[in-house]
Amino acid sequence: MNETKSCPYCGEEILATAKKCKHCGKWLEKKCPQCGEWVKAEAKKCRYCGYWLDPWQRRLQEKA
């Protein structure tokens, strides 16, 4: 049997490997535009390549 978890947005049961909730349609993960790895939807920085997903943080990094 497949493992499940609760959607952090609507609380419905979904597959533990889900990238999008089938009940509310919210994305749980997104692809990093730099390296293509999947990261949590609320992530501000890619845990694989260090790319800033948050535009404000990315601008600050570019100025430094």
Side-chain angles (χ1 to χ4, degrees):
M1 186 170 158
N2 293 329
E3 287 188 42
T4 61
K5 64 181 179 182
S6 294
C7 171
Y9 301 104
C10 70
E12 294 290 333
E13 286 294 310
I14 54 175
L15 290 176
T17 57
K19 296 188 181 347
K20 185 176 183 180
C21 177
K22 67 180 182 178
H23 302 285
C24 68
K26 296 270 190 177
W27 284 97
L28 309 171
E29 294 186 354
K30 60 185 174 186
K31 272 192 174 185
C32 172
Q34 185 75 21
C35 69
E37 291 290 339
W38 287 95
V39 295
K40 292 188 183 262
E42 66 274 4
K44 294 183 186 223
K45 190 175 187 181
C46 177
R47 66 184 184 151
Y48 298 99
C49 69
Y51 181 76
W52 283 102
L53 302 167
D54 178 34
W56 185 79
Q57 290 289 347
R58 193 167 48 246
R59 276 181 266 154
L60 285 177
Q61 186 70 25
E62 290 169 356
K63 289 181 181 180

Short mmCIF file of all heavy atoms in Angstrom, two decimals:
data_model
loop_
_atom_site.label_atom_id
_atom_site.label_comp_id
_atom_site.label_asym_id
_atom_site.label_seq_id
_atom_site.Cartn_x
_atom_site.Cartn_y
_atom_site.Cartn_z
N MET A 1 0.83 -1.18 0.00
CA MET A 1 0.00 0.00 0.00
C MET A 1 0.88 1.25 0.00
O MET A 1 1.92 1.29 0.63
CB MET A 1 -0.90 -0.01 1.22
CG MET A 1 -1.89 1.10 1.23
SD MET A 1 -3.07 0.83 2.56
CE MET A 1 -3.62 2.47 2.75
N ASN A 2 0.45 2.28 -0.72
CA ASN A 2 1.21 3.52 -0.81
C ASN A 2 1.06 4.34 0.46
O ASN A 2 -0.01 4.42 1.05
CB ASN A 2 0.73 4.35 -2.00
CG ASN A 2 1.04 3.69 -3.32
OD1 ASN A 2 2.03 2.99 -3.44
ND2 ASN A 2 0.20 3.92 -4.30
N GLU A 3 2.17 4.98 0.87
CA GLU A 3 2.13 5.84 2.05
C GLU A 3 1.39 7.13 1.70
O GLU A 3 1.47 7.61 0.58
CB GLU A 3 3.54 6.17 2.50
CG GLU A 3 4.24 5.01 3.16
CD GLU A 3 5.57 5.44 3.77
OE1 GLU A 3 5.63 6.52 4.39
OE2 GLU A 3 6.52 4.69 3.59
N THR A 4 0.70 7.67 2.69
CA THR A 4 -0.03 8.92 2.48
C THR A 4 0.37 9.95 3.53
O THR A 4 1.02 9.62 4.52
CB THR A 4 -1.56 8.69 2.57
OG1 THR A 4 -1.90 8.20 3.86
CG2 THR A 4 -2.04 7.74 1.50
N LYS A 5 -0.02 11.18 3.28
CA LYS A 5 0.20 12.27 4.21
C LYS A 5 -0.97 13.23 4.04
O LYS A 5 -1.76 13.12 3.11
CB LYS A 5 1.52 12.99 3.93
CG LYS A 5 1.58 13.68 2.57
CD LYS A 5 2.91 14.34 2.35
CE LYS A 5 2.97 15.01 0.97
NZ LYS A 5 4.27 15.62 0.72
N SER A 6 -1.08 14.18 4.94
CA SER A 6 -2.13 15.19 4.84
C SER A 6 -1.61 16.38 4.06
O SER A 6 -0.46 16.82 4.25
CB SER A 6 -2.55 15.67 6.22
OG SER A 6 -3.17 14.63 6.93
N CYS A 7 -2.44 16.93 3.19
CA CYS A 7 -2.09 18.15 2.47
C CYS A 7 -1.96 19.28 3.48
O CYS A 7 -2.85 19.48 4.31
CB CYS A 7 -3.17 18.48 1.43
SG CYS A 7 -2.96 20.10 0.67
N PRO A 8 -0.87 20.06 3.44
CA PRO A 8 -0.71 21.15 4.40
C PRO A 8 -1.69 22.30 4.18
O PRO A 8 -1.85 23.15 5.04
CB PRO A 8 0.73 21.61 4.18
CG PRO A 8 1.08 21.16 2.81
CD PRO A 8 0.27 19.91 2.56
N TYR A 9 -2.36 22.32 3.03
CA TYR A 9 -3.30 23.40 2.71
C TYR A 9 -4.74 23.05 3.06
O TYR A 9 -5.45 23.86 3.64
CB TYR A 9 -3.19 23.79 1.24
CG TYR A 9 -1.80 24.23 0.86
CD1 TYR A 9 -0.94 23.40 0.15
CD2 TYR A 9 -1.32 25.49 1.23
CE1 TYR A 9 0.34 23.81 -0.19
CE2 TYR A 9 -0.04 25.90 0.91
CZ TYR A 9 0.77 25.06 0.19
OH TYR A 9 2.05 25.47 -0.12
N CYS A 10 -5.19 21.84 2.68
CA CYS A 10 -6.60 21.49 2.88
C CYS A 10 -6.81 20.36 3.89
O CYS A 10 -7.93 20.11 4.31
CB CYS A 10 -7.27 21.14 1.56
SG CYS A 10 -6.71 19.58 0.83
N GLY A 11 -5.75 19.63 4.24
CA GLY A 11 -5.85 18.57 5.23
C GLY A 11 -6.30 17.22 4.70
O GLY A 11 -6.36 16.25 5.45
N GLU A 12 -6.62 17.13 3.42
CA GLU A 12 -7.05 15.86 2.84
C GLU A 12 -5.87 14.91 2.69
O GLU A 12 -4.72 15.34 2.59
CB GLU A 12 -7.70 16.09 1.47
CG GLU A 12 -9.00 16.86 1.52
CD GLU A 12 -10.14 16.06 2.13
OE1 GLU A 12 -10.13 14.83 2.05
OE2 GLU A 12 -11.05 16.70 2.67
N GLU A 13 -6.15 13.61 2.66
CA GLU A 13 -5.11 12.59 2.49
C GLU A 13 -4.66 12.54 1.03
O GLU A 13 -5.49 12.50 0.12
CB GLU A 13 -5.63 11.22 2.91
CG GLU A 13 -5.77 11.04 4.40
CD GLU A 13 -4.43 11.06 5.12
OE1 GLU A 13 -3.51 10.34 4.72
OE2 GLU A 13 -4.33 11.81 6.11
N ILE A 14 -3.35 12.56 0.83
CA ILE A 14 -2.75 12.47 -0.50
C ILE A 14 -1.57 11.52 -0.43
O ILE A 14 -1.10 11.18 0.66
CB ILE A 14 -2.30 13.84 -1.02
CG1 ILE A 14 -1.36 14.52 -0.03
CG2 ILE A 14 -3.49 14.74 -1.34
CD1 ILE A 14 -0.76 15.82 -0.50
N LEU A 15 -1.06 11.09 -1.56
CA LEU A 15 0.12 10.24 -1.59
C LEU A 15 1.32 10.99 -1.02
O LEU A 15 1.45 12.20 -1.23
CB LEU A 15 0.44 9.80 -3.01
CG LEU A 15 -0.50 8.79 -3.66
CD1 LEU A 15 -0.09 8.54 -5.10
CD2 LEU A 15 -0.51 7.49 -2.87
N ALA A 16 2.16 10.30 -0.31
CA ALA A 16 3.34 10.91 0.29
C ALA A 16 4.28 11.47 -0.77
O ALA A 16 5.04 12.41 -0.50
CB ALA A 16 4.08 9.90 1.17
N THR A 17 4.23 10.96 -1.98
CA THR A 17 5.09 11.41 -3.06
C THR A 17 4.44 12.48 -3.94
O THR A 17 5.04 12.91 -4.93
CB THR A 17 5.50 10.22 -3.94
OG1 THR A 17 4.31 9.59 -4.42
CG2 THR A 17 6.34 9.23 -3.17
N ALA A 18 3.25 12.93 -3.59
CA ALA A 18 2.51 13.90 -4.41
C ALA A 18 3.25 15.23 -4.50
O ALA A 18 3.85 15.70 -3.55
CB ALA A 18 1.13 14.13 -3.83
N LYS A 19 3.20 15.82 -5.68
CA LYS A 19 3.78 17.14 -5.91
C LYS A 19 2.68 18.20 -5.97
O LYS A 19 2.94 19.39 -5.85
CB LYS A 19 4.59 17.14 -7.19
CG LYS A 19 5.79 16.22 -7.10
CD LYS A 19 6.70 16.36 -8.26
CE LYS A 19 7.89 15.46 -8.27
NZ LYS A 19 8.28 14.74 -7.14
N LYS A 20 1.43 17.74 -6.15
CA LYS A 20 0.26 18.62 -6.20
C LYS A 20 -0.90 17.91 -5.52
O LYS A 20 -1.09 16.72 -5.70
CB LYS A 20 -0.08 18.93 -7.65
CG LYS A 20 -1.19 19.92 -7.83
CD LYS A 20 -1.40 20.24 -9.31
CE LYS A 20 -2.46 21.29 -9.49
NZ LYS A 20 -2.67 21.62 -10.90
N CYS A 21 -1.69 18.65 -4.73
CA CYS A 21 -2.83 18.05 -4.04
C CYS A 21 -3.97 17.82 -5.03
O CYS A 21 -4.36 18.73 -5.76
CB CYS A 21 -3.31 18.96 -2.91
SG CYS A 21 -4.77 18.33 -2.05
N LYS A 22 -4.48 16.60 -5.06
CA LYS A 22 -5.57 16.27 -5.99
C LYS A 22 -6.91 16.82 -5.52
O LYS A 22 -7.86 16.85 -6.27
CB LYS A 22 -5.65 14.76 -6.20
CG LYS A 22 -6.08 13.97 -4.98
CD LYS A 22 -6.15 12.50 -5.29
CE LYS A 22 -6.62 11.71 -4.09
NZ LYS A 22 -6.75 10.29 -4.40
N HIS A 23 -6.97 17.28 -4.28
CA HIS A 23 -8.23 17.80 -3.73
C HIS A 23 -8.35 19.31 -3.90
O HIS A 23 -9.35 19.81 -4.39
CB HIS A 23 -8.37 17.42 -2.26
CG HIS A 23 -8.33 15.95 -2.02
ND1 HIS A 23 -9.38 15.12 -2.31
CD2 HIS A 23 -7.33 15.16 -1.56
CE1 HIS A 23 -9.05 13.87 -2.01
NE2 HIS A 23 -7.80 13.87 -1.56
N CYS A 24 -7.32 20.05 -3.49
CA CYS A 24 -7.40 21.52 -3.55
C CYS A 24 -6.61 22.12 -4.71
O CYS A 24 -6.75 23.29 -5.02
CB CYS A 24 -6.95 22.14 -2.24
SG CYS A 24 -5.19 21.96 -1.86
N GLY A 25 -5.76 21.31 -5.35
CA GLY A 25 -5.01 21.79 -6.51
C GLY A 25 -3.75 22.58 -6.20
O GLY A 25 -3.09 23.06 -7.11
N LYS A 26 -3.41 22.72 -4.92
CA LYS A 26 -2.20 23.48 -4.56
C LYS A 26 -0.95 22.65 -4.85
O LYS A 26 -0.91 21.45 -4.61
CB LYS A 26 -2.21 23.85 -3.08
CG LYS A 26 -3.31 24.77 -2.68
CD LYS A 26 -2.86 26.19 -2.82
CE LYS A 26 -3.91 27.09 -2.17
NZ LYS A 26 -3.52 28.46 -2.19
N TRP A 27 0.09 23.34 -5.35
CA TRP A 27 1.37 22.69 -5.58
C TRP A 27 2.11 22.55 -4.26
O TRP A 27 2.21 23.50 -3.49
CB TRP A 27 2.22 23.50 -6.56
CG TRP A 27 1.76 23.34 -7.96
CD1 TRP A 27 0.94 24.18 -8.66
CD2 TRP A 27 2.07 22.27 -8.84
NE1 TRP A 27 0.72 23.68 -9.92
CE2 TRP A 27 1.41 22.51 -10.06
CE3 TRP A 27 2.85 21.12 -8.72
CZ2 TRP A 27 1.50 21.65 -11.16
CZ3 TRP A 27 2.94 20.27 -9.81
CH2 TRP A 27 2.28 20.54 -11.01
N LEU A 28 2.63 21.36 -4.00
CA LEU A 28 3.41 21.09 -2.80
C LEU A 28 4.90 21.23 -3.07
O LEU A 28 5.69 21.48 -2.17
CB LEU A 28 3.11 19.68 -2.28
CG LEU A 28 1.62 19.37 -2.12
CD1 LEU A 28 1.43 17.91 -1.81
CD2 LEU A 28 1.01 20.23 -1.06
N GLU A 29 5.26 21.06 -4.33
CA GLU A 29 6.65 21.18 -4.75
C GLU A 29 6.70 21.92 -6.07
O GLU A 29 5.71 21.99 -6.79
CB GLU A 29 7.30 19.80 -4.92
CG GLU A 29 7.45 19.04 -3.63
CD GLU A 29 8.23 17.75 -3.80
OE1 GLU A 29 8.58 17.38 -4.93
OE2 GLU A 29 8.49 17.10 -2.79
N LYS A 30 7.87 22.49 -6.37
CA LYS A 30 8.08 23.16 -7.65
C LYS A 30 9.49 22.84 -8.12
O LYS A 30 10.35 22.45 -7.33
CB LYS A 30 7.90 24.67 -7.51
CG LYS A 30 8.84 25.33 -6.53
CD LYS A 30 8.51 26.79 -6.35
CE LYS A 30 9.37 27.41 -5.25
NZ LYS A 30 8.98 28.76 -4.95
N LYS A 31 9.71 22.98 -9.42
CA LYS A 31 11.03 22.72 -9.98
C LYS A 31 11.89 23.96 -9.90
O LYS A 31 11.44 25.06 -10.21
CB LYS A 31 10.92 22.29 -11.44
CG LYS A 31 10.73 20.83 -11.64
CD LYS A 31 10.92 20.45 -13.08
CE LYS A 31 10.87 18.96 -13.23
NZ LYS A 31 11.17 18.54 -14.58
N CYS A 32 13.13 23.77 -9.50
CA CYS A 32 14.10 24.86 -9.49
C CYS A 32 14.42 25.22 -10.94
O CYS A 32 14.78 24.34 -11.72
CB CYS A 32 15.37 24.44 -8.75
SG CYS A 32 16.72 25.64 -8.89
N PRO A 33 14.32 26.50 -11.32
CA PRO A 33 14.62 26.88 -12.70
C PRO A 33 16.11 26.76 -13.05
O PRO A 33 16.47 26.68 -14.22
CB PRO A 33 14.16 28.33 -12.79
CG PRO A 33 14.15 28.83 -11.39
CD PRO A 33 13.88 27.64 -10.52
N GLN A 34 16.96 26.70 -12.05
CA GLN A 34 18.40 26.61 -12.27
C GLN A 34 18.86 25.17 -12.52
O GLN A 34 19.54 24.90 -13.49
CB GLN A 34 19.14 27.19 -11.06
CG GLN A 34 20.63 27.28 -11.22
CD GLN A 34 21.06 28.40 -12.14
OE1 GLN A 34 20.32 29.34 -12.37
NE2 GLN A 34 22.25 28.30 -12.67
N CYS A 35 18.46 24.24 -11.64
CA CYS A 35 18.97 22.86 -11.74
C CYS A 35 17.90 21.83 -12.10
O CYS A 35 18.23 20.69 -12.42
CB CYS A 35 19.67 22.46 -10.46
SG CYS A 35 18.58 22.25 -9.04
N GLY A 36 16.60 22.20 -12.00
CA GLY A 36 15.54 21.28 -12.37
C GLY A 36 15.10 20.30 -11.29
O GLY A 36 14.23 19.48 -11.53
N GLU A 37 15.69 20.39 -10.11
CA GLU A 37 15.30 19.50 -9.00
C GLU A 37 14.01 20.01 -8.36
O GLU A 37 13.70 21.19 -8.42
CB GLU A 37 16.41 19.44 -7.95
CG GLU A 37 17.66 18.73 -8.39
CD GLU A 37 17.49 17.23 -8.55
OE1 GLU A 37 16.56 16.66 -7.98
OE2 GLU A 37 18.32 16.64 -9.26
N TRP A 38 13.24 19.08 -7.76
CA TRP A 38 12.01 19.45 -7.07
C TRP A 38 12.32 19.91 -5.66
O TRP A 38 13.06 19.25 -4.93
CB TRP A 38 11.06 18.26 -7.04
CG TRP A 38 10.45 17.97 -8.36
CD1 TRP A 38 10.89 17.07 -9.29
CD2 TRP A 38 9.30 18.58 -8.94
NE1 TRP A 38 10.09 17.09 -10.40
CE2 TRP A 38 9.10 18.01 -10.21
CE3 TRP A 38 8.42 19.58 -8.51
CZ2 TRP A 38 8.05 18.39 -11.04
CZ3 TRP A 38 7.37 19.95 -9.34
CH2 TRP A 38 7.20 19.36 -10.59
N VAL A 39 11.75 21.06 -5.27
CA VAL A 39 11.90 21.61 -3.92
C VAL A 39 10.52 21.96 -3.38
O VAL A 39 9.56 22.06 -4.14
CB VAL A 39 12.81 22.86 -3.91
CG1 VAL A 39 14.23 22.50 -4.31
CG2 VAL A 39 12.28 23.95 -4.81
N LYS A 40 10.41 22.15 -2.09
CA LYS A 40 9.11 22.50 -1.48
C LYS A 40 8.60 23.80 -2.08
O LYS A 40 9.38 24.70 -2.37
CB LYS A 40 9.24 22.62 0.02
CG LYS A 40 9.52 21.29 0.69
CD LYS A 40 9.45 21.42 2.19
CE LYS A 40 9.79 20.12 2.83
NZ LYS A 40 8.67 19.33 3.21
N ALA A 41 7.29 23.90 -2.24
CA ALA A 41 6.68 25.07 -2.86
C ALA A 41 7.00 26.36 -2.12
O ALA A 41 7.13 27.42 -2.73
CB ALA A 41 5.18 24.88 -2.97
N GLU A 42 7.15 26.29 -0.81
CA GLU A 42 7.41 27.51 -0.04
C GLU A 42 8.90 27.82 0.10
O GLU A 42 9.28 28.81 0.73
CB GLU A 42 6.76 27.43 1.34
CG GLU A 42 7.34 26.37 2.25
CD GLU A 42 6.73 24.99 2.07
OE1 GLU A 42 5.89 24.79 1.19
OE2 GLU A 42 7.13 24.10 2.83
N ALA A 43 9.76 27.00 -0.51
CA ALA A 43 11.21 27.21 -0.40
C ALA A 43 11.63 28.54 -1.01
O ALA A 43 11.12 28.95 -2.04
CB ALA A 43 11.96 26.07 -1.08
N LYS A 44 12.57 29.20 -0.34
CA LYS A 44 13.11 30.46 -0.86
C LYS A 44 14.44 30.24 -1.57
O LYS A 44 14.88 31.08 -2.33
CB LYS A 44 13.29 31.45 0.28
CG LYS A 44 11.96 31.85 0.88
CD LYS A 44 12.13 32.87 1.96
CE LYS A 44 10.77 33.08 2.58
NZ LYS A 44 10.46 34.42 2.84
N LYS A 45 15.06 29.07 -1.29
CA LYS A 45 16.35 28.75 -1.88
C LYS A 45 16.38 27.25 -2.21
O LYS A 45 15.91 26.44 -1.43
CB LYS A 45 17.46 29.09 -0.89
CG LYS A 45 18.84 29.03 -1.44
CD LYS A 45 19.86 29.52 -0.40
CE LYS A 45 21.23 29.64 -1.00
NZ LYS A 45 22.20 30.10 -0.01
N CYS A 46 16.93 26.91 -3.36
CA CYS A 46 17.03 25.50 -3.76
C CYS A 46 18.04 24.79 -2.86
O CYS A 46 19.17 25.26 -2.68
CB CYS A 46 17.47 25.39 -5.21
SG CYS A 46 17.70 23.69 -5.77
N ARG A 47 17.62 23.66 -2.30
CA ARG A 47 18.51 22.91 -1.41
C ARG A 47 19.56 22.13 -2.17
O ARG A 47 20.50 21.61 -1.58
CB ARG A 47 17.71 21.99 -0.50
CG ARG A 47 17.00 20.89 -1.23
CD ARG A 47 16.16 20.08 -0.28
NE ARG A 47 15.55 18.97 -0.99
CZ ARG A 47 15.25 17.84 -0.43
NH1 ARG A 47 15.48 17.65 0.84
NH2 ARG A 47 14.68 16.90 -1.13
N TYR A 48 19.45 22.03 -3.48
CA TYR A 48 20.41 21.28 -4.28
C TYR A 48 21.52 22.17 -4.85
O TYR A 48 22.69 21.83 -4.75
CB TYR A 48 19.69 20.55 -5.42
CG TYR A 48 18.69 19.55 -4.92
CD1 TYR A 48 17.34 19.85 -4.86
CD2 TYR A 48 19.09 18.29 -4.47
CE1 TYR A 48 16.41 18.94 -4.39
CE2 TYR A 48 18.18 17.38 -3.99
CZ TYR A 48 16.84 17.71 -3.95
OH TYR A 48 15.93 16.80 -3.47
N CYS A 49 21.13 23.30 -5.45
CA CYS A 49 22.14 24.13 -6.11
C CYS A 49 22.36 25.48 -5.44
O CYS A 49 23.27 26.21 -5.81
CB CYS A 49 21.78 24.34 -7.58
SG CYS A 49 20.33 25.38 -7.88
N GLY A 50 21.49 25.84 -4.48
CA GLY A 50 21.65 27.11 -3.78
C GLY A 50 21.05 28.31 -4.48
O GLY A 50 21.19 29.44 -4.02
N TYR A 51 20.36 28.09 -5.59
CA TYR A 51 19.73 29.18 -6.34
C TYR A 51 18.61 29.80 -5.52
O TYR A 51 17.78 29.10 -4.96
CB TYR A 51 19.18 28.64 -7.67
CG TYR A 51 18.52 29.66 -8.55
CD1 TYR A 51 19.29 30.56 -9.27
CD2 TYR A 51 17.14 29.72 -8.67
CE1 TYR A 51 18.70 31.49 -10.11
CE2 TYR A 51 16.53 30.65 -9.49
CZ TYR A 51 17.32 31.54 -10.21
OH TYR A 51 16.73 32.46 -11.02
N TRP A 52 18.58 31.13 -5.44
CA TRP A 52 17.52 31.82 -4.72
C TRP A 52 16.25 31.81 -5.55
O TRP A 52 16.20 32.39 -6.64
CB TRP A 52 17.92 33.26 -4.39
CG TRP A 52 18.86 33.35 -3.24
CD1 TRP A 52 20.21 33.54 -3.31
CD2 TRP A 52 18.54 33.22 -1.87
NE1 TRP A 52 20.74 33.53 -2.03
CE2 TRP A 52 19.74 33.35 -1.14
CE3 TRP A 52 17.35 33.02 -1.16
CZ2 TRP A 52 19.78 33.28 0.25
CZ3 TRP A 52 17.39 32.96 0.21
CH2 TRP A 52 18.61 33.09 0.91
N LEU A 53 15.21 31.16 -5.07
CA LEU A 53 13.92 31.10 -5.74
C LEU A 53 13.11 32.37 -5.48
O LEU A 53 12.29 32.76 -6.28
CB LEU A 53 13.15 29.87 -5.28
CG LEU A 53 13.88 28.55 -5.50
CD1 LEU A 53 13.20 27.44 -4.73
CD2 LEU A 53 13.96 28.22 -6.96
N ASP A 54 13.39 33.01 -4.34
CA ASP A 54 12.73 34.25 -3.97
C ASP A 54 13.41 35.40 -4.73
O ASP A 54 14.60 35.64 -4.55
CB ASP A 54 12.87 34.45 -2.45
CG ASP A 54 12.26 35.74 -1.96
OD1 ASP A 54 11.24 36.18 -2.52
OD2 ASP A 54 12.81 36.31 -1.00
N PRO A 55 12.67 36.11 -5.60
CA PRO A 55 13.29 37.16 -6.41
C PRO A 55 13.98 38.26 -5.59
O PRO A 55 15.03 38.76 -5.97
CB PRO A 55 12.12 37.75 -7.20
CG PRO A 55 11.02 36.77 -7.10
CD PRO A 55 11.26 35.95 -5.87
N TRP A 56 13.39 38.62 -4.45
CA TRP A 56 13.98 39.65 -3.61
C TRP A 56 15.35 39.21 -3.10
O TRP A 56 16.32 39.95 -3.15
CB TRP A 56 13.04 39.97 -2.45
CG TRP A 56 13.51 41.10 -1.61
CD1 TRP A 56 13.40 42.43 -1.90
CD2 TRP A 56 14.18 41.02 -0.36
NE1 TRP A 56 13.96 43.17 -0.89
CE2 TRP A 56 14.44 42.32 0.07
CE3 TRP A 56 14.58 39.96 0.44
CZ2 TRP A 56 15.08 42.60 1.27
CZ3 TRP A 56 15.20 40.24 1.64
CH2 TRP A 56 15.46 41.55 2.03
N GLN A 57 15.44 37.99 -2.59
CA GLN A 57 16.71 37.46 -2.10
C GLN A 57 17.72 37.32 -3.23
O GLN A 57 18.90 37.57 -3.04
CB GLN A 57 16.51 36.10 -1.43
CG GLN A 57 15.78 36.17 -0.11
CD GLN A 57 16.63 36.78 0.98
OE1 GLN A 57 17.84 36.95 0.85
NE2 GLN A 57 15.98 37.14 2.07
N ARG A 58 17.26 36.94 -4.42
CA ARG A 58 18.16 36.79 -5.56
C ARG A 58 18.76 38.14 -5.94
O ARG A 58 19.96 38.23 -6.21
CB ARG A 58 17.38 36.20 -6.75
CG ARG A 58 18.26 35.73 -7.86
CD ARG A 58 17.58 34.85 -8.90
NE ARG A 58 16.33 35.38 -9.38
CZ ARG A 58 15.13 34.82 -9.18
NH1 ARG A 58 15.03 33.71 -8.52
NH2 ARG A 58 14.05 35.36 -9.69
N ARG A 59 17.96 39.22 -5.91
CA ARG A 59 18.48 40.56 -6.21
C ARG A 59 19.51 40.99 -5.18
O ARG A 59 20.54 41.59 -5.54
CB ARG A 59 17.35 41.58 -6.30
CG ARG A 59 16.71 41.59 -7.68
CD ARG A 59 15.64 42.61 -7.77
NE ARG A 59 14.43 41.82 -7.43
CZ ARG A 59 13.33 42.26 -6.90
NH1 ARG A 59 13.18 43.52 -6.66
NH2 ARG A 59 12.33 41.47 -6.63
N LEU A 60 19.25 40.69 -3.92
CA LEU A 60 20.22 41.03 -2.88
C LEU A 60 21.54 40.30 -3.10
O LEU A 60 22.61 40.87 -2.94
CB LEU A 60 19.68 40.68 -1.50
CG LEU A 60 18.61 41.61 -0.94
CD1 LEU A 60 18.14 41.07 0.41
CD2 LEU A 60 19.13 43.02 -0.77
N GLN A 61 21.47 39.04 -3.47
CA GLN A 61 22.66 38.22 -3.71
C GLN A 61 23.44 38.76 -4.92
O GLN A 61 24.66 38.80 -4.89
CB GLN A 61 22.25 36.76 -3.96
CG GLN A 61 23.41 35.81 -4.07
CD GLN A 61 24.12 35.60 -2.76
OE1 GLN A 61 23.55 35.78 -1.69
NE2 GLN A 61 25.36 35.23 -2.82
N GLU A 62 22.74 39.20 -5.95
CA GLU A 62 23.39 39.71 -7.15
C GLU A 62 24.12 41.03 -6.87
O GLU A 62 25.15 41.31 -7.48
CB GLU A 62 22.38 39.89 -8.27
CG GLU A 62 21.87 38.58 -8.82
CD GLU A 62 20.67 38.73 -9.76
OE1 GLU A 62 20.18 39.87 -9.94
OE2 GLU A 62 20.25 37.71 -10.31
N LYS A 63 23.58 41.83 -5.95
CA LYS A 63 24.20 43.11 -5.61
C LYS A 63 25.46 42.93 -4.77
O LYS A 63 26.34 43.77 -4.77
CB LYS A 63 23.21 44.01 -4.87
CG LYS A 63 22.10 44.52 -5.76
CD LYS A 63 21.17 45.41 -4.98
CE LYS A 63 20.05 45.92 -5.87
NZ LYS A 63 19.14 46.79 -5.14
N ALA A 64 25.53 41.83 -4.04
CA ALA A 64 26.67 41.60 -3.13
C ALA A 64 27.93 41.21 -3.86
O ALA A 64 28.03 40.87 -4.95
CB ALA A 64 26.31 40.50 -2.14
#
